[in-house]
Amino acid sequence: MNQRPSNGPEGPKRAGDYSGPEAERIIPKMNHYPMDIQHYAGHWKYFPEYNCRYLKGVVYCETPKEQNLQNFNLFVPKAYLNEDGSVNLEGVCGRFTAETAPIIMQSSVMGYSEAPAGMLRADGRGPDQKLATAFLASGMIYCSVGVRGRQTQDAQGNYVGKAPALLTDVKAALRFYRHNKTHLPGNTDRIIFVGVSAGGNLAALVGSTCDRAEFEPGLREIGAVMDESDAVYASQCYCPITALSHADMAYEWMFRGQYKTEGTPIDPAGKTLTAFQRRLSEELAVRYIRYVNDLGLSDPATGQALTLGSDGRSGTFYDALLRELEASATKYLRLIRENSPKVISCTPAQYVSGDYTMVRHTPGGDQVSPGIDKSTWLSWDGEAAHITGLSPMLLGVAKRMKNCPAFDSLDLQEFENEEFGPSSQKLSHFNRMMASVLEALQNDFPEESEKYLPTYRAIQDDPLLMEQEKLLNPHSFIGTGTENLCSHFRIRAGSMDPHTSFSTAMLLAYNLKRAGADVDFAFVWEAKHGVCDYEGELMEWIQSIL
Ligand code: DHB
């Protein structure tokens, strides 16, 4: 159904799916799964390539809807466990012991799809391999949590993985781990959750809804341990696809005036927005300006009020975004100047003029492309980078990728249309303000209005959607009490990522700061959608907060 370039016509497959013996994960159906890790005592195995012991398929709730998803795989540096799976309290690995080791939890969720627990592979080619390898080598415990997703169905065909199932599942896993902490290594006061994209939103949610009562009914439904905390210590959010109820507006504000999507291998010509969609885009962009201005945000550094000018390309909010982008370009260009292996090899001037070759290392091999001339919007004064404007930068390096609307698609074609709605229904609209937007276009576009308006009107006051929207949006919780926020957030977003508006990650960071959280936020220059980071910096951050 979905026409995303990176995900293929069916949308992403289950993120943790890969072939090979390590991928087997058939868990027999039981009425009640044990919540006692001792049940798995004889099942620990040794993984020589990682010098770790691992346990596969630990079902973390008593009555899962899908036991092959609602389980985790746990990888523990060998030193922390005896051969029989009991904790070796004397065990030391890197800076940590079996008692002090932090626990890194991750879910491989992509595109709000269901994601089985990830398994490390002997050949080193699993999706989350690189990070996991580094965690284990430095003495951290790694736990990959499987979660339900938008297409998960039970035996009766009900869609049981819609919002907020992925978050409920991670909470259940956290509670299970704590419930068993006397028989498991690691410090449950130092759990750090890591997620990318939809998983980046998940990470933001895990970190901003610690022990919130709103999730208890969902936890009870799957038989989670109810008398344990689901708090985490820190959260790493990469490219968070967050605040879905405002994402359509944000996208049109960011790509205002770009009326064609970038071509892809499966859709080389790209899509051209119709006259109706252009007006819709404009209307959404204008509403985003109002929305931002009503937030009452201020600059975390200076306290200055952050607002957008009526053109959407001026005002303190816009300036703040440009400053964040400039900071990210400055870091990159300084690394170029220092000839760092972390970036390409050329001079800063050559980088600006496009006189270089870009080599990206991807799992499928190196991708080589010619440099891009950025001199019309990017300059370098020897110390700092300057960007003249968002629109020319986007046209240069991050063209529009999604149709309009970008998330709650007119014809229900986006991932998110499967993420919301009742369990009896595969697809649903979820942008409850779209009806009022379409009403504004009714006179000029009667035909389209007749086609689309009733379907958006039908969901305008839908209580289930209101609840799902609330539970899947970290902003619903941020600012309502610091006791539900984890201690540290790190947010990274790619400066070449057109999956959502740049303002989305920035708003998450600024709102968290406003609520008093410790937030390390940055755009990563030249980075696309995914684990966008400079080598080693996540690990440095983890070390710094421990
Ligand atoms: C993801 C990407 C998207 O463009 C989106 O809308 C939702 C999720 C992802 O990569 O997880």
Side-chain angles (χ1 to χ4, degrees):
M1 57 167 265
N2 204 294
Q3 292 147 7
R4 301 288 178 69
S6 55
N7 299 319
E10 289 294 319
K13 301 275 182 282
R14 289 172 168 185
D17 261 0
Y18 21 85
S19 56
E22 294 97 337
E24 285 164 24
R25 49 176 181 78
I26 307 299
I27 297 174
K29 183 89 191 137
M30 287 164 64
N31 286 338
H32 278 83
Y33 288 83
M35 291 296 95
D36 180 356
I37 195 80
Q38 301 274 57
H39 175 81
Y40 298 86
H43 295 259
W44 285 95
K45 294 206 174 85
Y46 178 58
F47 211 144
E49 285 81 359
Y50 298 90
N51 195 26
C52 75
R53 295 194 199 281
Y54 67 96
L55 201 51
K56 261 171 73 171
V58 179
V59 178
Y60 49 68
C61 49
E62 262 185 3
T63 51
K65 302 279 180 192
E66 172 48 272
Q67 74 277 6
N68 286 310
L69 293 168
Q70 292 170 284
N71 64 76
F72 64 64
N73 295 338
L74 183 61
F75 305 85
V76 175
K78 182 171 171 245
Y80 302 155
L81 287 173
N82 299 310
E83 211 149 317
D84 63 359
S86 59
V87 179
N88 172 18
L89 288 174
E90 252 82 278
V92 176
C93 184
R95 291 173 45 196
F96 306 108
T97 69
E99 271 176 305
T100 64
I103 301 155
I104 312 293
M105 270 202 186
Q106 184 172 26
S107 158
S108 312
V109 59
M110 277 163 46
Y112 289 99
S113 271
E114 60 190 22
M119 184 61 203
L120 297 183
R121 292 173 34 147
D123 65 8
R125 294 182 60 193
D128 305 316
Q129 203 89 22
K130 217 169 149 192
L131 285 179
T133 306
F135 296 140
L136 286 167
S138 63
M140 300 179 190
I141 290 164
Y142 177 65
C143 181
S144 178
V145 184
V147 296
R148 290 169 290 168
R150 57 190 164 90
Q151 73 276 58
T152 308
Q153 285 176 280
D154 66 9
Q156 289 71 45
N158 297 308
Y159 291 94
V160 291
K162 290 176 186 276
L166 76 174
L167 176 57
T168 311
D169 288 352
V170 171
K171 286 177 175 293
L174 285 160
R175 285 161 177 247
F176 180 97
Y177 206 109
R178 283 211 170 83
H179 184 62
N180 288 288
K181 67 182 176 195
T182 50
H183 301 294
L184 284 171
N187 180 354
T188 53
D189 291 333
R190 292 291 176 272
I191 303 179
I192 299 166
F193 192 85
V194 181
V196 188
S197 188
N201 185 30
L202 177 58
L205 282 160
V206 170
S208 54
T209 63
C210 302
D211 297 327
R212 288 293 298 222
E214 288 89 334
F215 296 91
E216 283 175 10
L219 285 163
R220 223 168 253 121
E221 200 189 335
I222 58 170
V225 176
M226 294 309 293
D227 55 358
E228 293 284 355
S229 161
D230 53 49
V232 293
Y233 177 63
S235 161
Q236 163 67 57
C237 322
Y238 286 113
C239 301
I241 303 284
T242 207
L244 289 171
S245 34
H246 301 107
D248 287 320
M249 291 191 305
Y251 204 78
E252 298 315 315
W253 164 77
M254 165 138 142
F255 290 104
R256 199 173 189 184
Q258 273 195 44
Y259 294 141
K260 194 179 159 315
T261 64
E262 180 79 325
T264 67
I266 56 162
D267 181 17
K271 301 229 168 344
T272 303
L273 270 55
T274 62
F276 166 67
Q277 285 177 304
R278 289 174 193 213
R279 273 290 304 283
L280 183 56
S281 167
E282 188 54 24
E283 189 69 26
L284 286 165
V286 167
R287 287 186 191 225
Y288 190 63
I289 296 168
R290 286 210 295 269
Y291 166 74
V292 167
N293 291 343
D294 285 347
L295 287 175
L297 270 186
S298 50
D299 187 313
T302 63
Q304 183 188 33
L306 291 181
T307 54
L308 278 170
S310 58
D311 60 353
R313 290 295 188 265
S314 62
T316 45
F317 181 88
Y318 176 75
D319 293 343
L321 177 61
L322 280 195
R323 273 203 309 278
E324 298 284 3
L325 291 167
E326 285 177 338
S328 126
T330 296
K331 173 167 177 169
Y332 191 83
L333 280 158
R334 285 184 186 169
L335 288 170
I336 285 186
R337 183 183 63 187
E338 286 146 25
N339 213 2
S340 163
K342 289 184 176 184
V343 294
I344 51 168
S345 170
C346 63
T347 64
Q350 284 172 320
Y351 177 75
V352 171
S353 67
D355 185 14
Y356 62 93
T357 302
M358 178 58 77
V359 182
R360 287 182 195 279
H361 307 292
T362 71
D366 285 355
Q367 281 178 1
V368 182
S369 52
I372 295 169
D373 180 2
K374 295 172 276 293
S375 56
T376 52
W377 54 270
L378 179 70
S379 61
W380 168 245
D381 67 11
E383 264 316 303
H386 304 279
I387 297 171
T388 55
L390 181 61
S391 301
M393 173 182 162
L394 294 176
L395 280 172
V397 293
K399 293 202 181 69
R400 179 185 192 103
M401 167 193 159
K402 296 185 180 184
N403 213 332
C404 172
F407 294 88
D408 187 0
S409 139
L410 292 172
D411 297 309
L412 301 166
Q413 287 187 332
E414 293 297 332
F415 304 149
E416 288 77 7
N417 293 119
E418 287 189 355
E419 179 63 4
F420 292 96
S423 60
S424 56
Q425 205 172 302
K426 184 173 165 65
L427 298 164
S428 175
H429 282 307
F430 58 92
N431 188 337
R432 294 185 305 102
M433 62 188 94
M434 194 66 84
S436 76
V437 179
L438 292 177
E439 274 158 14
L441 309 187
Q442 223 169 350
N443 286 345
D444 293 342
F445 295 91
E447 213 175 291
E448 288 86 351
S449 298
E450 199 185 332
K451 182 168 175 196
Y452 297 118
L453 191 47
T455 59
Y456 284 105
R457 268 196 185 134
I459 55 131
Q460 223 168 353
D461 301 307
D462 185 316
L464 172 68
L465 278 176
M466 284 185 207
E467 180 72 359
Q468 288 177 324
E469 191 182 290
K470 173 183 168 189
L471 300 185
L472 201 68
N473 186 352
H475 294 285
S476 325
F477 302 95
I478 300 168
T480 60
T482 46
E483 66 277 13
N484 303 113
L485 295 179
C486 68
S487 300
H488 308 278
F489 288 86
R490 185 169 183 269
I491 302 168
R492 289 293 180 271
S495 74
M496 289 176 65
D497 180 2
H499 282 252
T500 192
S501 170
F502 289 168
S503 55
T504 302
M506 187 173 100
L507 274 181
L508 177 64
Y510 285 17
N511 202 18
L512 280 166
K513 285 187 193 184
R514 168 163 73 170
D518 171 47
V519 187
D520 175 340
F521 164 63
F523 286 106
V524 181
W525 196 253
E526 277 288 351
K528 298 192 179 190
H529 191 63
V531 181
C532 52
D533 223 334
Y534 289 98
E535 184 103 31
E537 289 193 359
L538 171 60
M539 204 56 100
E540 280 166 29
W541 175 72
I542 293 177
Q543 305 283 9
S544 77
I545 59 170
L546 286 175

